Amino acid sequence: MLVVPAIIPYNKEQLEEEIKKVSGFAKLVQIDISDGIFTPTRTWPYKGGDEIFLPKWQDVEFEIHLMVERPEDVVLDWINAGASAIVAHIEATDNFQKVIDICRMRGVKVGVAIKPSTDISRLESFVSQADFIQVMGNDLLGKHGVPLDPKAVEKIKALQGL
């Protein structure tokens, strides 16, 4: 079983501290990145203007969850910083194929994230190219403490048929 803790960094120092906490038992860490455009909240590096970087940890791989508008414009920056996997939202771009192509060119895993309300047909041309699909628990991206939307469970069931 693979347990993947998610970190929502508000600054570089918090990111490093949170990684220290989980690095002893987690082999993969998901870092949630929000730009304040696709989601209502901003996280590091969009919050503070720091450059994109990932700490150099010997035993931890980083999966970057891009909750950003036009992820194809920033995906290479995160790969160059050391991401081993990228998760991007199908709803955030009209060119998801470019996200996949960049990840494949660089040997990085790619996941497709989808909101519970998004029509599953949007995934059909990408599902065979993706390494995984991430169904969000609700449509309120970037919000915490929001109850699980029953549509998310139905979406997961429906995806098993693709």
Side-chain angles (χ1 to χ4, degrees):
M1 176 174 33
L2 179 64
V3 176
V4 182
I7 297 173
I8 303 169
Y10 292 99
N11 57 49
K12 185 168 45 171
E13 294 76 24
Q14 181 206 11
L15 174 64
E16 291 176 327
E17 188 60 35
E18 298 292 329
I19 291 169
K20 281 181 190 176
K21 290 177 186 176
V22 299
S23 65
F25 60 87
K27 298 294 182 202
L28 178 65
V29 173
Q30 184 179 82
I31 301 173
D32 292 341
I33 304 297
S34 296
D35 64 1
I37 301 167
F38 182 67
T39 60
T41 56
R42 283 180 182 225
T43 63
W44 168 88
Y46 294 99
K47 189 172 183 175
D50 291 330
E51 289 185 32
I52 293 173
F53 94 108
L54 292 172
K56 301 297 181 206
W57 293 88
Q58 297 169 348
D59 300 322
V60 178
E61 291 187 43
F62 297 105
E63 176 179 281
I64 305 300
H65 179 195
L66 293 174
M67 293 184 281
V68 302
E69 194 72 29
R70 298 186 46 82
E72 66 272 22
D73 292 345
V74 298
V75 67
L76 192 55
D77 294 334
W78 289 101
I79 292 170
N80 288 338
S84 61
I86 298 290
V87 186
H89 283 263
I90 195 90
E91 304 92 352
T93 179
D94 292 328
N95 193 359
F96 200 85
Q97 187 62 53
K98 186 172 180 182
V99 174
I100 291 173
D101 292 345
I102 292 169
C103 288
R104 292 296 176 232
M105 267 187 348
R106 299 296 297 269
V108 169
K109 291 182 181 178
V110 62
V112 183
I114 187 169
K115 296 177 184 179
S117 66
T118 300
D119 190 324
I120 201 168
S121 66
R122 291 198 59 192
L123 291 173
E124 288 175 355
S125 60
F126 305 113
V127 78
S128 65
Q129 299 178 69
D131 293 296
F132 58 93
I133 297 170
Q134 180 170 313
V135 177
M136 302 305 291
N138 59 64
D139 282 358
L140 301 173
L141 302 180
K143 299 271 186 186
H144 298 283
V146 179
L148 177 67
D149 184 335
K151 288 187 275 184
V153 176
E154 294 305 314
K155 191 74 56 177
I156 293 167
K157 289 178 185 176
L159 284 167
Q160 292 182 358
L162 286 182

